[in-house]
Amino acid sequence: MNKIVEVLPDTTALIQRSLEVVVEKIQAAIAERGRCTIALSGGSTPKPLYEALATQDLPWGQIHVFWGDERYVPADHPDSNQGMARKAWLDRVQIPAENIHPMPTEAADPAIAAQDYESHLREVLQGQALPALDVILLGLGDDGHTASLFPHTAALQVQDRLITVGNKDGQPRLTFTAPLINAARYVVFVVAGANKQAALKEIFAPTADAMTYPARLVQPQGELWWLFDAAAGQAING
């Protein structure tokens, strides 16, 4: 694993640097393999990044978009990660509909939906026992969670699946598992805010409990990027 850590002066600079990194990785994947597979994160931090990506001149037909996690709500629900990304980015560019791969949230049983998405992911990324996405974007909760891998939940222990059911206060979510995240060529955390400092100190500590701070589970085979604004970055610079 190659870990790169950058602290930017403010959130504007953080989003600009995140844009540069993501565009560079998209272009590299297309140059090397003819397409880029990217998984998106939810939350408020990446929204301006998606809005910035919508202004870029990229070969949209060669980009396939997935989601690293999703609340178990309809796509038009205000809490939908898919809905947010579509409004901020995907609906504003000429990306083919078949290149957008949202997590299904219609089944009565989220476990069935997780199986369906895993099957679909394997179909798109065929030929790999453990599929390697090119880019996975991740955020960080102030409790140390990432994707929908929450502290002390069963999802953290899943090693034999690509997609599983996460749990947030009794509400199911679909989420990438740690093995799928760690198979990626590039994992990019985009983290803003002083409220992340306590968790970051544990995540970057030499030893700490990954069941309590799940982002410690992210140790990809490829590059791991941590991009911070100054407020969040104080945790590792202080």
Side-chain angles (χ1 to χ4, degrees), residues 32 67 153 173 197:
E32 291 171 22
W67 275 263
T153 55
R173 300 184 179 202
Q197 289 182 18

Side-chain angles (χ1 to χ4, degrees), residues 13-34:
L14 170 65
I15 295 305
Q16 179 59 36
R17 180 61 179 140
S18 301
L19 176 66
E20 292 169 0
V21 171
V22 171
V23 168
E24 176 189 316
K25 302 312 178 189
I26 288 173
Q27 291 173 332
I30 291 170
E32 291 171 22
R33 288 173 295 280

Side-chain angles (χ1 to χ4, degrees), residues 220-233:
Q221 66 170 5
E223 290 183 1
L224 173 59
W225 287 72
W226 284 94
L227 301 176
F228 300 111
D229 69 353

